[in-house]
Amino acid sequence: MRTQVAIIGAGPSGLLLGQLLHKAGIDAVIIERQSPEYVLSRIRAGVLEQVTVDVLDEVGVGQRMHREGLVHGGFDLLFKGERHRIDMNRLTGGKNVMVYGQTEVTHDLMDARSAAGLTTVYEASNVAVHDFDADHPRVTYEKDGQQHELTCDFIAGCDGFHGVCRASVPRGAIREFEKVYPFGWLGILSDTPPVHHELIYVNSPRGFALCSQRSHTRSRYYLQVPLTDKVEDWSDEAFWQELRLRLDPAAREHLVTGPSIEKSVAPLRSFVTEPLRFGRMFLAGDAGHIVPPTGAKGLNLAATDVKYLSQAFIEFYADRSDAGIDSYSERCLKRIWRAERFSWWFTSLMHRFPGEGEIAQKFQEAELDYLIHSEAGARTIAENYVGLPLDFGR
Ligand code: RFL
Ligand code: PHB
């Protein structure tokens, strides 16, 4: 098989890149290790920046998101037992975020891809990338017991943190920056009405908590837990009990509990790969960087990476120019480091760090108190949360 761009991974990065290229008349094949059902079963992001909403609209998959997604103009910060609203909409001159699950985004992209008759190979095993440092890269894989080869002009590594693309780069050609946090997030999904109409980010002496949602009838909650905790250690009842203890009295009273329909523990990490281009292979999304989920930036960064990458390929094929592919890495990394900084800062502000003691809690509370009472402080958090403009700093 031959294609112009071989995309490894059918997560949001790979599927969105596929749609962007299809719209531009560039041929791409997606190779995915898992089944579509498995890809859709991973419950992850919930908050989309305007920039992401715009890209989804651009490729024509935004209809259901606009129908079913929830537009939020603010969120609450809860500390010292009291809630304070960050009015993002006012502080950013009218910007909002869209609460719409990654599962739904992925679903919409998969539907659009199959409606357009585009090729995705699911359940491909032993995927390997070859010759990306030369003119004719190749991808090999096995499917149904048979060996296949895909030749291409470019490889897009959209295969997530544990993918094969980054791992195939010679060690001397890549730098990795990493911070692993000493706790995880235990998440629960339940068919219960959300405790509040907007998100609540909680700093409590018992640890961080987050009240999020997927719809008016489906809630998503998270608790900071020790890294050693397993899902089996937490019954639904224990989860709700601990969440109640981290909330303010009004939220505690409003909280509607019910059986979980998904429960998982996620580790938190900050991670960046430099560069993101290796000859004719490019990394995009979680393959190139990870943020702790506190800032809700992971999926949004994936969307801007693939937007930039599609522009680079369009310039290459339409204008015969290498300018876009040459600047891809630097252009993405600027935006990535800004989101990394915000995610690390917000994570540090909201979580309990083992061994740091009561003074750390006092410092956090004083900083939160400053942020909510200072127009400049509140605006700083709001403008980062809604997402910096694409041309920020230019
Ligand atoms: P994905 O989603 O990991 O998809 C990669 C795909 O590649 C496949 N793959 C391979 N395919 C072929 N060959 C191989 N060797 C392969 N190895 C892997 C995988 O099966 C998979 O299908 O990466 P992608 O597309 O870059 O998307 C990134 C996002 O998934 C991620 O950044 C977000 O989920 C992060 N995130 C959030 N981001 C936000 O913008 N807003 C949020 O509110 C938000 N909340 C979250 C989050 C992530 C979380 N977890 C669990 C890490 C909340 C949580 C709890
Ligand atoms: C989610 O709804 O899953 C979610 C929302 C906001 C975050 C992280 C996760 O910061």
Side-chain angles (χ1 to χ4, degrees), residues 278-316:
F278 307 90
R280 287 178 166 260
M281 181 167 79
F282 300 81
L283 303 180
D286 280 13
H289 45 81
I290 297 286
V291 283
T294 327
K297 290 280 168 264
L299 176 57
N300 294 299
L301 280 180
T304 36
D305 285 359
V306 298
K307 173 70 190 161
Y308 290 153
L309 190 53
S310 69
Q311 287 173 345
F313 289 147
I314 291 166
E315 277 180 50
F316 178 85

Side-chain angles (χ1 to χ4, degrees), residues 8-14 31-34 39 42-47 102 127 158-164 185 220 222 266 284-287 293 296-300 302:
I8 314 299
S13 306
I31 310 289
E32 163 64 48
R33 182 165 61 179
Q34 306 287 355
V39 171
R42 294 186 296 225
I43 309 294
R44 289 182 172 180
V47 176
Q102 178 167 330
V127 178
C158 298
D159 49 350
F161 184 65
H162 300 287
V164 67
W185 277 20
R220 179 76 167 155
Y222 296 98
D286 280 13
K297 290 280 168 264
L299 176 57
N300 294 299

Side-chain angles (χ1 to χ4, degrees), residues 295 297 338-347 381 384-385:
K297 290 280 168 264
R338 287 177 179 138
E340 290 280 348
R341 182 212 64 84
F342 173 68
S343 304
W344 156 79
W345 169 79
F346 198 29
T347 301
I381 191 164
N384 279 279
Y385 193 85

Side-chain angles (χ1 to χ4, degrees), residues 121-335:
V121 180
Y122 284 101
E123 296 177 272
S125 56
N126 290 326
V127 178
V129 290
H130 312 271
D131 304 333
F132 50 84
D133 49 352
D135 284 346
H136 303 288
R138 292 177 300 125
V139 180
T140 55
Y141 60 94
E142 280 168 43
K143 167 86 183 165
D144 300 329
Q146 293 211 336
Q147 180 77 21
H148 297 265
E149 183 176 85
L150 176 62
T151 55
C152 56
D153 299 330
F154 298 105
I155 296 172
C158 298
D159 49 350
F161 184 65
H162 300 287
V164 67
C165 292
R166 191 183 70 251
S168 303
V169 175
R171 291 294 88 191
I174 189 168
R175 283 194 72 186
E176 295 178 347
F177 302 85
E178 182 172 45
K179 178 178 177 69
V180 178
Y181 297 84
F183 41 74
W185 277 20
L186 172 68
I188 208 173
L189 191 68
S190 71
D191 277 328
T192 52
V195 66
H196 185 57
H197 67 281
E198 292 177 340
L199 272 59
I200 311 176
Y201 287 85
V202 186
N203 176 306
S204 127
R206 301 184 66 90
F208 171 80
L210 171 60
C211 306
S212 183
Q213 53 197 260
R214 291 290 177 271
S215 69
H216 295 304
T217 55
R218 182 168 284 188
S219 300
R220 179 76 167 155
Y221 296 102
Y222 296 98
L223 291 175
Q224 175 186 353
V225 294
L227 269 180
T228 44
D229 279 20
K230 303 267 168 297
V231 172
E232 309 78 72
D233 301 336
W234 285 87
S235 66
D236 289 356
E237 197 36 57
F239 184 97
W240 295 120
Q241 184 53 30
E242 182 58 35
L243 179 61
R244 269 190 212 101
L245 293 171
R246 298 186 191 187
L247 293 178
D248 58 296
R252 200 173 294 152
E253 203 168 300
H254 275 104
L255 181 69
V256 180
T257 63
S260 64
I261 50 177
E262 195 265 357
K263 206 190 280 169
S264 50
V265 179
L268 272 72
R269 114 176 44 236
S270 298
F271 174 84
V272 182
T273 299
E274 287 188 357
L276 295 168
R277 176 200 177 180
F278 307 90
R280 287 178 166 260
M281 181 167 79
F282 300 81
L283 303 180
D286 280 13
H289 45 81
I290 297 286
V291 283
T294 327
K297 290 280 168 264
L299 176 57
N300 294 299
L301 280 180
T304 36
D305 285 359
V306 298
K307 173 70 190 161
Y308 290 153
L309 190 53
S310 69
Q311 287 173 345
F313 289 147
I314 291 166
E315 277 180 50
F316 178 85
Y317 287 112
D319 309 338
R320 293 275 139 211
S321 161
D322 285 349
I325 56 178
D326 286 345
S327 59
Y328 169 75
S329 187
E330 196 188 331
R331 204 174 169 204
C332 285
L333 282 165
K334 255 198 187 141
R335 189 169 180 82

